[in-house]
Amino acid sequence: MKTPTAFARRNLLISVLLLFLCLLTYNNSLHNPFVMDDYAMIVQNRAIKDPSFLQIDPFVNSSAALDPGSQVYWRPIAHLLIMSAFSAFGREPFGYHVLNLLLFYMACIGLYELLNFIFGDWKLALLTSVLFCVHPINGVLVNYITASGYAVLVLAVILSIRCFLMAGQETAPWKKYGMYGLSLLWFAISLLCHETAFIGPLYLASVLFLIKGYSWRGMSAAMLPFLIVFMIYIAGREQFVHFQAGTLANMARFEMSLAEYGAAFSRLVFFYLKNLIFLEDVVLIWAVPTALGNLFFWNIASMIFLVVCLLIIARCRKEDPRSVGLAWFLIGLLPLSIAAFSRPNLGFIIEPHWMLFSSIGFFLFIAASFRKFIQPAGISKFRSPVIGAAMICLLIVAYVFTSRLYNRLWGNETAYCRYMIALSPNMRLPVWWLASAHLRGRDHEQARVLFRKTLTGTFQDWEVYVNLGMIESALGRREAALKNFHQAIAINPSAAEAYNNIGAEMIESNELDKAQGYLWQAMRLDRYFIEPKKNLAVLFLRQRKTREAAELLEQVLSIQPNDPYSLKTLRELRGLN
């Protein structure tokens, strides 16, 4: 029997091993730049320091409330994490990647502890955690800065399950109910990270039924408090995201028959399996092709797959980790059945990071299967510790090597966007991201072509017209620029960027009185927008109103203390005085 010191030493070595694997797999991602939604969420997000960014009701009256055209969701914990990281790292991506890697490492440690607690098999727990750590499908948690909330979600679900199971071992009532309370608290935290956490209690239910021997009635009773917490969450979410604006309301827009839905869902599941098994086409978002093809084939394929999984679960002993692994994999697909409708403008989609626990179930099943080959020799003529260990090592090496290749792809935003477009040619979002990357790189002609492809005739077009106006302005086409800016205002009268840009154009043409009106309107619409303040300061300086200009530049520095123009101009104005 091992002593507590021996257990502590083993756990320390496992922690070091997982840290080494995290660094080995993701060290080449730490210097990757901001990409795609990182710009909207962090770099260009004027509301990131404002309480409204936390999406909590008492603060929603802030003038920096989220754009009504943005994707609608409620994730206060995820936003709190981004806001805190911004306070620490500002606009330097390295710190965010380090934070994401740290959170991911903590999730790997938590997964090991949970599986070891459930099955009492540290080798199985370690192998599952290692596979979870190095598989490229989870690289998004480190590479995509705005995905930091997903690692916290995984950790929160793990802690919720662990606390509930620990409560069952406590004898003192205050400890037992205290652990139950912590379990519910961690479940609530996971919901506030991302709505896909709603199925977290079902992972626990599968453990209670397959491992702990709970009856259906006992399992249902155990789930009841979680259901109450979920209903409270739904009530709170409704205050920010009304049903009419949520995912469920989007379903009618797809106009799918049941057979079409089944075929489309089947294609998403098999695409995800291809990612997991063959490490192929791992991508942030993938949309089902417009032409679904053989509906009968895809529906039958998914039914056969489901039946095979259920038969394997039925054949395995209840205490067999493979049954839990398959159960977790299937349960993890439930959010996909709803979330695929979440963004109608993109199509019927999958984001593999929605199914993190589904991937954990897959890795648990693989690890438990490999454990059969690592049993002591002589148990079965079909088992070989050497062959099993060699296969595991080769698999881990393949995962690490492939993950590093995907990390490199993440480091080039234009290459990653083209990769997404190649996989989903009809999806406009990566075209938008690619156009934005070209605009930041001052490739105006290419950016204009790409932005025009993203016009959909919907509310979001106002942002396209603002960008098209900026491109025309950079190319010296003033009238075309003003036309695009006015088109943006016609779609979205609250488009502060469009008012500011019109004001800037009028300053250039010396129409100072008209410019002033547009710039004041931009400032009224968004008090955190520093560009109209700077432009109005320029206007005042032309009118020799130095005191008014200085006041505006002081306001700019209160929002962005290191703004070069404001610092330089204020020094010059103070020198004159």
Side-chain angles (χ1 to χ4, degrees):
M1 183 176 179
K2 291 191 176 182
T3 64
T5 304
F7 280 116
R9 187 182 301 115
R10 185 182 70 195
N11 287 340
L12 177 61
L13 290 174
I14 288 172
S15 299
V16 171
L17 173 61
L18 289 174
L19 177 60
F20 169 76
L21 287 172
C22 282
L23 292 173
L24 176 66
T25 307
Y26 300 109
N27 71 83
N28 68 329
S29 72
L30 297 180
H31 292 281
N32 282 351
F34 290 111
V35 294
M36 298 175 291
D37 269 349
D38 293 341
Y39 285 95
M41 187 66 76
I42 299 171
V43 181
Q44 299 166 351
N45 185 2
R46 300 187 294 272
I48 196 167
K49 293 182 179 180
D50 190 82
S52 68
F53 183 63
L54 296 179
Q55 302 180 309
I56 300 175
D57 268 348
F59 306 117
V60 296
N61 291 326
S62 165
S63 62
L66 294 178
D67 189 317
S70 59
Q71 184 187 7
V72 182
Y73 57 78
W74 191 51
R75 302 165 191 167
I77 298 294
H79 280 215
L80 176 62
L81 189 62
I82 292 172
M83 178 187 280
S84 303
F86 182 80
S87 299
F89 310 124
R91 292 177 173 85
E92 293 297 325
F94 177 78
Y96 294 90
H97 286 303
V98 172
L99 175 62
N100 280 11
L101 182 58
L102 177 62
L103 292 171
F104 181 64
Y105 169 65
M106 292 172 63
C108 294
I109 293 291
L111 179 60
Y112 165 78
E113 292 289 346
L114 174 65
L115 296 179
N116 191 30
F117 183 81
I118 292 174
F119 300 109
D121 185 342
W122 69 269
K123 293 179 180 178
L124 172 69
L126 175 59
L127 181 53
T128 304
S129 301
V130 166
L131 296 177
F132 176 77
C133 172
V134 299
H135 195 288
I137 206 165
N138 295 322
V140 64
L141 301 186
V142 179
N143 285 290
Y144 202 25
I145 288 172
T146 54
S148 54
Y150 287 96
V152 179
L153 179 153
V154 172
L155 194 56
V157 172
I158 286 171
L159 289 171
S160 177
I161 296 172
R162 176 74 184 269
C163 288
F164 187 96
L165 296 176
M166 290 176 66
Q169 296 183 348
E170 297 290 347
T171 54
W174 68 273
K175 288 185 178 180
K176 179 186 289 290
Y177 292 111
M179 295 305 292
Y180 281 139
L182 282 175
S183 177
L184 295 174
L185 175 62
W186 281 115
F187 173 54
I189 290 173
S190 71
L191 287 170
L192 297 177
C193 289
H194 197 277
E195 51 275 12
T196 54
F198 78 93
I199 57 167
L202 296 184
Y203 300 121
L204 170 62
S206 64
V207 173
L208 297 179
F209 181 72
L210 296 171
I211 304 298
K212 301 300 181 180
Y214 274 53
S215 65
W216 284 100
R217 184 175 180 178
M219 185 176 63
S220 301
M223 293 298 102
L224 183 59
F226 293 97
L227 178 61
I228 294 172
V229 170
F230 179 63
M231 296 307 296
I232 295 172
Y233 161 78
I234 290 295
R237 188 176 188 271
E238 179 67 18
Q239 301 304 308
F240 188 84
V241 181
H242 296 298
F243 176 83
Q244 292 81 1
T247 298
L248 294 177
N250 291 332
M251 292 182 176
R253 297 177 60 182
F254 283 81
E255 298 180 349
M256 280 183 168
S257 68
L258 185 59
E260 288 171 331
Y261 170 74
F265 182 72
S266 178
R267 293 200 68 170
L268 293 182
V269 171
F270 283 104
F271 177 82
Y272 179 57
L273 280 170
K274 182 174 70 171
N275 293 168
L276 286 171
I277 298 171
F278 301 107
L279 318 182
E280 184 181 348
D281 297 340
V282 177
V283 71
L284 179 66
I285 308 174
W286 183 76
V288 171
T290 307
L292 287 174
N294 194 323
L295 300 183
F296 177 79
F297 169 80
W298 286 109
N299 278 284
I300 290 297
S302 61
M303 290 179 187
I304 292 173
F305 175 73
L306 176 62
V307 169
V308 168
C309 289
L310 294 176
L311 286 175
I312 293 174
I313 293 174
R315 289 194 61 184
C316 291
R317 291 181 296 107
K318 275 200 170 184
E319 297 80 10
D320 194 324
R322 290 176 297 177
S323 62
V324 175
L326 280 178
W328 281 8
F329 178 81
L330 294 176
I331 291 169
L333 296 178
L334 291 177
L336 177 61
S337 65
I338 301 172
F341 294 101
S342 61
R343 305 178 79 169
N345 58 324
L346 303 184
F348 198 74
I349 62 170
I350 180 174
E351 297 183 27
H353 47 279
W354 289 337
M355 288 87 66
L356 288 167
F357 255 84
S358 189
S359 73
I360 290 173
F362 173 82
F363 300 135
L364 177 58
F365 180 82
I366 296 298
S369 300
F370 271 125
R371 285 285 285 136
K372 299 297 182 180
F373 289 92
I374 309 178
Q375 298 291 344
I379 292 181
S380 170
K381 63 180 180 179
F382 297 109
R383 296 173 184 171
S384 170
V386 175
I387 294 175
M391 292 173 65
I392 290 171
C393 290
L394 287 174
L395 187 65
I396 293 172
V397 168
Y399 283 5
V400 171
F401 178 77
T402 309
S403 289
R404 292 181 64 84
L405 291 179
Y406 280 110
N407 296 343
R408 190 182 306 169
L409 183 61
W410 274 97
N412 186 327
E413 184 178 17
T414 56
Y416 197 90
C417 289
R418 293 188 187 281
Y419 168 64
M420 292 181 69
I421 293 168
L423 292 174
S424 301
N426 297 317
M427 193 162 60
R428 288 186 175 91
L429 184 59
V431 179
W432 164 272
W433 284 331
L434 182 59
S436 300
H438 281 292
L439 180 58
R440 288 191 295 271
R442 300 184 185 279
D443 185 357
H444 296 112
E445 293 291 353
Q446 184 64 27
R448 180 171 58 179
V449 171
L450 291 167
F451 273 125
R452 283 177 174 170
K453 291 181 178 180
T454 66
L455 290 169
T456 60
T458 61
F459 180 84
Q460 283 75 20
D461 281 354
W462 76 265
E463 293 183 275
V464 181
Y465 284 113
V466 167
N467 286 320
L468 288 173
M470 291 169 61
I471 291 168
E472 298 295 353
S473 178
L475 295 173
R477 300 165 182 163
R478 180 175 180 273
E479 292 304 321
L482 290 173
K483 180 180 178 181
N484 281 297
F485 294 142
H486 282 294
Q487 183 67 33
I489 292 172
I491 298 172
N492 179 15
S494 299
E497 293 88 346
Y499 286 101
N500 171 68
N501 293 343
I502 293 173
E505 290 291 334
M506 290 182 170
I507 290 175
E508 289 297 315
S509 62
N510 211 32
E511 300 175 77
L512 300 187
D513 290 339
K514 289 184 178 180
Q516 190 168 337
Y518 281 101
L519 294 173
W520 279 116
Q521 179 65 7
M523 287 173 18
R524 279 192 290 269
L525 288 169
D526 189 342
R527 64 189 175 94
Y528 289 96
F529 193 10
I530 66 172
E531 295 307 319
K533 302 178 193 296
K534 290 164 65 175
N535 285 328
L536 193 54
V538 170
L539 185 152
F540 284 149
L541 288 173
R542 287 195 183 184
Q543 296 175 333
R544 301 185 182 279
K545 298 178 180 179
T546 56
R547 183 175 61 82
E548 290 87 344
E551 288 176 356
L552 284 169
L553 295 176
E554 291 286 0
Q555 292 178 28
V556 170
L557 293 176
S558 70
I559 298 169
Q560 192 165 316
N562 298 319
D563 182 67
Y565 172 79
S566 301
L567 290 170
K568 179 177 179 293
T569 307
L570 276 175
R571 280 196 300 267
E572 292 173 352
L573 291 175
R574 288 163 182 163
L576 290 174
N577 296 330

